[in-house]
Amino acid sequence: MDLQNILIIKLRHIGDVLLSTPVLRGLRTAFPLARLTMLVNRGTEGVLAHNPDVNEVLCLEKGSLKAQLKFVQMLRQRAFDGVVDLTDGDRSAVIGLATGAPVRIGFNAEHRWRGLLYSTVAKPRQADQHRVDYDLCALRALGLDTKPGTPALYPSPTDEQTVEAWMQEAGLLSAQASPLLVLLQPGARYSLKVWPHERFAQLADRLADRFVCRILLGGDQREREVAEQVARKTRCAPIVVAGKFSLLQFAALVKRCALFVGNDGGAMHIAATMGTPVVAIFGPTYPQRWGPRGGPAQVIYKGLDCRACYHPTCLRGDDSCMQQIAVDEVFTAASRMLERTPARTET
């Protein structure tokens, strides 16, 4: 199959887009001269900045019906000869069909009507449980090899310089001995995925006491209030960096940290991708599918099967999956990581 103009669709969140980047690498390897365009939700496009495997990134138009139809018409005019839909959703399947591309690959895990809109439905094997491996099955549907892949991010030199300048100003760089940096991520997109704030605060103090490290509290702008709440509960005066940096600047920052500890989410995937040791706290989500890929990682997960429920509020009450994870457990895992990991303050 000789495709020259391929549209890849991933209408999900930051972590999902990041986990799909091995597909871009696989397509670029198979079709080195093809034009690769990726369609994503607005707010996730930063994941793909400077990625050498994609020629163009488009953000889905979600305005009026007229604007959406105009957007789809623009896609059709691009004359794509192949669509690889990694979204596992109905909207993206309709968009793929509307492009007019003769080759349309997509997933249909729910066995819905959208399967009729693809020229070939990608069928993951039982072993393809992690989302990285699952997405790579789209390449198999194209007759391509599906070698294991690792997500990729590409902070620019400007991103690196911005972070270095901030660290210098914050007193985190020293000619003699720079402090050990530990980044905690207390927020998450969904409340059921959040480890209790007071436990993050206790963890911050215990790590600061034992390792004489500087604690950073991360997150996006929406999570800044959460980070500040955690900071107020501590003795160690952590630095709140939530909302301070762009996505790739955050990647440049976490690359310099000796450890990342946080809930399941985009920041956790960014840290793992950058090779930073990760302690990932999982509750209602499934680490075999959504666990960190990249650097060394320790997942803490109680194995309660919340996936069949996803009720707006936890039906287990005080016995919820996140409440069962103790500070001692996370502290022990974090300590083991720090004991064998040198500081990462150099670029």
Side-chain angles (χ1 to χ4, degrees):
M1 194 175 296
D2 184 21
L3 300 178
Q4 297 298 321
N5 191 12
I6 307 172
L7 176 67
I8 305 97
I9 307 176
K10 188 70 169 185
L11 303 180
R12 295 296 182 187
H13 304 303
I14 286 173
D16 304 273
V17 175
L18 179 53
L19 293 180
S20 72
T21 53
V23 174
L24 295 176
R25 167 49 44 188
L27 288 171
R28 176 58 68 211
T29 300
F31 307 107
L33 301 180
R35 179 174 179 82
L36 302 186
T37 302
M38 191 156 187
L39 176 62
V40 297
N41 285 326
R42 193 168 300 280
T44 67
E45 66 272 21
V47 173
L48 302 166
H50 317 301
N51 190 314
D53 298 322
V54 64
N55 298 97
E56 183 181 13
V57 179
L58 300 175
C59 294
L60 179 65
E61 177 61 62
K62 291 187 177 180
S64 65
L65 178 59
K66 181 179 179 180
Q68 293 183 55
L69 290 174
K70 185 177 180 181
F71 183 81
V72 171
Q73 183 181 30
M74 177 274 293
L75 289 179
R76 191 173 184 87
Q77 291 171 347
R78 296 291 188 96
F80 294 108
D81 54 11
V83 171
V84 178
D85 180 11
L86 305 175
T87 308
D88 233 340
D90 296 342
R91 178 194 291 254
S92 58
V94 172
I95 292 173
L97 179 67
T99 66
V103 176
R104 300 180 307 280
I105 308 297
F107 296 98
N108 191 23
E110 300 164 342
H111 305 289
R112 292 170 58 85
W113 53 266
R114 67 170 176 266
L116 300 173
L117 307 185
Y118 298 123
S119 61
T120 304
V121 174
K123 297 179 179 179
R125 301 164 302 190
Q126 185 62 33
D128 300 317
Q129 291 192 21
H130 195 280
R131 190 69 210 197
V132 168
D133 305 321
Y134 187 97
D135 282 351
L136 282 168
C137 291
L139 300 185
R140 189 185 308 130
L142 285 169
L144 306 178
D145 191 9
T146 55
K147 295 178 181 178
T150 302
L153 273 174
Y154 298 91
S156 69
T158 300
D159 296 321
E160 302 277 4
Q161 292 162 12
T162 297
V163 168
E164 184 169 355
W166 174 81
M167 292 179 67
Q168 192 75 48
E169 184 179 341
L172 300 178
L173 289 178
S174 170
Q176 287 74 38
S178 298
L180 197 69
L181 300 180
V182 174
L183 195 148
L184 307 185
Q185 181 85 8
R189 178 173 293 274
Y190 304 111
S191 61
L192 291 180
K193 295 167 70 174
V194 174
W195 197 44
H197 300 163
E198 63 273 11
R199 298 188 191 181
F200 269 109
Q202 294 171 35
L203 176 67
D205 285 336
R206 290 180 64 175
L207 289 174
D209 288 345
R210 175 165 177 179
F211 295 97
V212 196
C213 57
R214 291 303 306 271
I215 304 294
L216 310 179
L217 296 176
D220 58 25
Q221 189 59 47
R222 295 169 300 178
E223 296 165 338
R224 186 171 181 83
E225 183 178 348
V226 170
E228 290 175 343
Q229 288 177 10
V230 171
R232 287 194 291 270
K233 297 176 186 293
T234 66
R235 294 179 285 98
C236 64
I239 302 174
V240 175
V241 297
K244 187 173 185 64
F245 298 107
S246 70
L247 188 151
L248 290 182
Q249 288 169 357
F250 175 81
L253 173 65
V254 77
K255 184 176 72 170
R256 293 168 172 261
C257 294
L259 180 68
F260 171 96
V261 182
N263 305 306
D264 171 30
M268 178 267 292
H269 290 298
I270 291 172
T273 297
M274 300 310 295
T276 301
V278 167
V279 175
I281 305 172
F282 274 75
T285 45
Y286 193 37
Q288 282 85 344
R289 170 155 288 201
W290 300 109
R293 277 283 181 98
Q298 171 71 53
V299 171
I300 299 178
Y301 174 60
K302 290 303 180 181
L304 300 182
D305 190 4
C306 303
R307 291 167 295 139
C309 174
Y310 279 109
H311 195 271
T313 57
C314 180
L315 300 181
R316 291 190 174 95
D318 289 339
D319 293 326
S320 75
C321 48
M322 298 302 276
Q323 292 284 352
Q324 288 190 20
I325 298 174
V327 176
D328 282 348
E329 196 171 357
V330 181
F331 175 72
T332 298
S335 296
R336 287 173 180 163
M337 287 284 194
L338 287 172
E339 285 165 356
R340 60 175 182 255
T341 305
R344 292 164 57 92
T345 53
E346 299 299 324
T347 57

